[in-house]
């Protein structure tokens, strides 16, 4: 009996010392398990003392506390889970309310390598927001008006922007990621066209003899300035780390200075884009 007591007591102590993983669900429920694997969309686990394997979608998880003490926080959106793409896992030690939030600051616009109209930088900011907003499952993108208002209220003007680190800006805007961009427009070659129209009229009398010949004509000329367009894009985290830095030039020069094609090209290849 004494031996049995000692064995039972020892087994109970070992059981109490077994470390478990804790899955905190979005509805507030917590389950203590042993995690087997984590994929892009699901987490597989078994209950302590069992062998049956269970699966839970990441969309239903708010946080995992691993047995090692490491935390993984998952983004949660209001759309139905079956319509969402794989959520992004965040493992950086940033404030919880920053996780998976993105702000796009006004783009810099350069015309022939000189500062250009601020309105074009604001337009590029709005266009980037519209393009990325359609492919940002798992992230929340702050709308440009809210972003710009917060920057102005914090005294972050275009002239003073260089005096703030990306971490400073993330703290001001309450986000984990900041997208910064530059649109560069340089004058390329010019094209011109000229067209001429001539009209000749012959007058005849009743005997069908030529009485006279009159000539008239007109010419039209046009010229168009073409531009070489390029866009650069940088993405920073709230610890000042740069996670994306790329540039792309429009394949063809244009007369209207459109930057849409290179901007879309870069956004589709950035780490925050979801297909």
């Amino acid at each position: 009996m004494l031996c049995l007591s000692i064995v039972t007591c020892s087994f109970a102590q070992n059981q109490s010392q077994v470390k478990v993983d804790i899955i905190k669900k979005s509805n507030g429920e917590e389950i203590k398990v042993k995690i087997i694997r984590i994929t892009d969309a699901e987490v597989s686990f078994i209950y302590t003392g069992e062998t049956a394997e269970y699966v839970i979608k990441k969309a239903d998880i708010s946080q995992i506390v691993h047995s090692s003490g490491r935390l993984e926080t998952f983004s949660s959106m209001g759309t139905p889970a079956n319509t969402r793409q794989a959520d992004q896992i965040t493992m950086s030690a940033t404030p919880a309310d920053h996780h998976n939030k993105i702000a796009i600051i006004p783009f810099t616009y350069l015309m022939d390598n000189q500062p250009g109209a601020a309105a074009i930088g604001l337009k590029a900011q709005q266009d980037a927001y519209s393009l990325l907003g359609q492919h940002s499952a798992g992230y929340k993108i702050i709308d440009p008006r809210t972003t710009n208002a917060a920057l102005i209220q914090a005294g972050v003007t275009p002239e003073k922007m260089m005096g703030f680190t990306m971490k400073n800006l993330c703290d001001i805007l309450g986000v984990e990621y900041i997208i910064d961009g530059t649109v560069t427009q340089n004058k390329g070659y010019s094209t011109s066209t000229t067209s001429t129209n001539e009209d000749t009229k012959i007058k005849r009398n009743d005997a069908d003899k030529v009485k006279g010949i009159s000539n008239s004509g007109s010419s039209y000329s046009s010229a168009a300035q073409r531009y070489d367009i390029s866009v650069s894009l940088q993405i920073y985290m709230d610890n000042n780390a740069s996670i994306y830095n790329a540039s792309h030039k429009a394949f063809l020069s244009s007369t209207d200075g459109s930057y849409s094609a290179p901007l879309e090209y870069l956004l589709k290849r950035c780490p925050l884009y979801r297909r």
Side-chain angles (χ1 to χ4, degrees):
M1 290 293 292
L2 179 60
C3 290
L4 182 58
S5 264
I6 293 173
V7 171
T8 303
C9 182
S10 175
F11 178 76
Q13 288 178 349
N14 289 336
Q15 285 292 95
S16 65
Q17 293 174 0
V18 173
K19 293 185 177 181
V20 296
D21 304 308
I22 301 174
I23 296 177
K24 297 183 178 181
K25 300 174 68 174
S26 302
N27 61 7
E29 180 186 355
E30 293 185 7
I31 52 177
K32 297 181 179 181
V33 299
K34 177 177 176 58
I35 293 177
I36 303 301
R37 73 182 63 85
I38 297 178
T39 67
D40 289 340
E42 298 174 334
V43 175
S44 300
F45 63 89
I46 60 173
Y47 287 102
T48 304
E50 298 182 11
T51 57
E53 185 174 319
Y54 298 85
V55 174
I56 184 173
K57 293 183 180 296
K58 280 184 181 177
D60 298 328
I61 301 173
S62 63
Q63 191 179 67
I64 292 178
V65 182
H66 290 275
S67 58
S68 63
R70 182 170 63 88
L71 299 181
E72 279 188 294
T73 301
F74 295 76
S75 171
S76 179
M77 296 180 64
T79 52
N82 60 355
T83 64
R84 295 170 56 198
Q85 301 184 39
D87 288 340
Q88 177 73 4
I89 303 174
T90 302
M91 289 180 280
S92 56
T94 57
D97 59 348
H98 286 198
H99 286 320
N100 290 341
K101 292 182 180 178
I102 304 169
I104 305 171
I105 61 178
F107 279 43
T108 300
Y109 171 63
L110 298 177
M111 176 64 184
D112 290 330
N113 295 318
Q114 297 297 321
I120 295 180
L122 294 173
K123 179 66 166 55
Q125 176 195 25
Q126 181 64 50
D127 289 344
Y129 170 76
S130 299
L131 285 168
L132 190 60
Q134 301 173 27
H135 302 276
S136 60
Y139 295 103
K140 178 181 179 181
I141 307 180
I142 310 302
D143 69 275
R145 185 178 182 87
T146 300
T147 295
N148 297 341
L151 291 175
I152 293 172
Q153 291 170 15
V156 186
T157 61
E159 296 76 19
K160 296 180 179 179
M161 182 72 75
M162 296 303 294
F164 294 83
T165 67
M166 287 301 166
K167 183 180 186 307
N168 295 151
L169 297 181
C170 283
D171 290 338
I172 291 170
L173 299 172
V175 297
E176 186 175 10
Y177 303 97
I178 280 185
I179 298 177
D180 185 19
T182 301
V183 175
T184 303
Q185 179 176 315
N186 293 316
K187 286 183 179 179
Y189 62 90
S190 298
T191 58
S192 60
T193 58
T194 301
S195 61
T196 302
N197 294 319
E198 293 187 358
D199 187 20
T200 301
K201 294 182 179 180
I202 300 175
K203 295 182 179 180
R204 299 178 183 273
N205 58 19
D206 296 338
D208 202 26
K209 293 183 178 179
V210 176
K211 292 177 61 178
I213 299 175
S214 62
N215 293 309
S216 63
S218 63
S219 62
Y220 173 77
S221 300
S222 65
Q225 175 66 57
R226 304 192 74 85
Y227 297 92
D228 295 325
I229 308 295
S230 64
V231 175
S232 62
L233 209 64
Q234 299 84 37
I235 301 178
Y236 300 89
M237 292 185 65
D238 55 4
N239 58 0
N240 285 326
S242 173
I243 62 172
Y244 185 71
N245 188 345
S247 299
H248 187 67
K249 182 179 178 180
F251 182 70
L252 298 173
S253 58
S254 67
T255 57
D256 59 0
S258 175
Y259 53 77
S260 298
L263 176 61
E264 184 175 359
Y265 177 92
L266 293 173
L267 286 174
K268 284 185 175 180
R269 287 157 179 80
C270 81
L272 303 181
Y273 185 89
R274 294 287 177 267
R275 296 190 179 277

